[in-house]
Amino acid sequence: MSDERFAGHEGEDHAQEVAAAAIISAGSILLAQRTYPEELAGLWELPGGKVHDGELPAEALRRELEEELGVTTAIGPRIGVDVDLAGAGSDSERYVLRAYLVQLIAGEPQPLEHAEIRWFTVAELRDADLVPNDRVWVDDLVRSMREHV
């Protein structure tokens, strides 16, 4: 996987991007269990976070995964559709959640900012208690998991 082709913002929209990592290895996907906010605590999600001003999505996702999981990664292509998120604290702010295929390069994932992390099989992913925004991608994630066995 090369970050070169996937490093830039893709939309002409002016939404703040939130990047999510689909880390797939041996047919399983790594999910992280949220600790906050209260209404999402205990639910599972793809790890990731906000793209800061001046930062490319691939740079942001590499940074977030190093902070959250203690790993070095290569960011690949986007998967699934854009998911519009409600603005946090302001009606004028718009966020868009995008998922990217990610390859682990170095390090063993650790739950540095989550309650727990765990590898899920296809069957487990379909039954996982996912955050609502990530449920949109289940079929896309399953296809990718089957391709990376």
Side-chain angles (χ1 to χ4, degrees):
M1 249 183 243
S2 169
D3 293 340
E4 306 298 319
R5 290 181 33 216
F6 310 106
H9 287 278
E10 291 196 9
E12 285 80 38
D13 63 42
H14 298 290
Q16 165 79 45
E17 182 168 345
V18 179
I23 303 171
I24 298 171
S25 180
S28 293
I29 189 164
L30 186 71
L31 297 180
Q33 191 176 45
R34 291 195 64 112
T35 58
Y36 67 91
E38 187 176 330
E39 64 271 13
L40 297 178
L43 299 180
W44 294 92
E45 69 177 356
L46 298 177
K50 289 182 185 173
V51 178
H52 296 160
D53 288 338
E55 195 174 39
L56 297 172
E59 294 168 338
L61 204 46
R62 277 194 305 272
R63 174 185 50 75
E64 288 284 348
L65 296 173
E66 186 173 334
E67 291 171 3
E68 292 182 11
L69 304 174
V71 295
T72 303
T73 56
I75 312 305
R78 282 190 36 209
I79 62 169
V81 298
D82 287 1
V83 178
D84 286 320
L85 305 174
S90 169
D91 291 334
S92 64
E93 280 189 85
R94 200 173 131 250
Y95 293 87
V96 61
L97 179 62
R98 295 182 174 130
Y100 295 83
L101 284 174
V102 173
Q103 179 181 6
L104 286 176
I105 300 298
E108 184 65 33
Q110 303 294 318
L112 303 176
E113 295 185 5
H114 292 89
E116 183 181 349
I117 58 170
R118 186 162 79 78
W119 293 98
F120 284 72
T121 65
V122 167
E124 291 169 331
L125 175 64
R126 289 203 181 277
D127 292 334
D129 199 5
L130 293 173
V131 295
N133 295 322
D134 289 8
R135 288 184 197 142
V136 173
W137 298 320
V138 168
D139 289 338
D140 297 299
L141 296 171
V142 165
R143 267 191 300 280
S144 293
M145 291 166 71
R146 289 184 171 144
E147 292 171 5
H148 294 87
V149 174

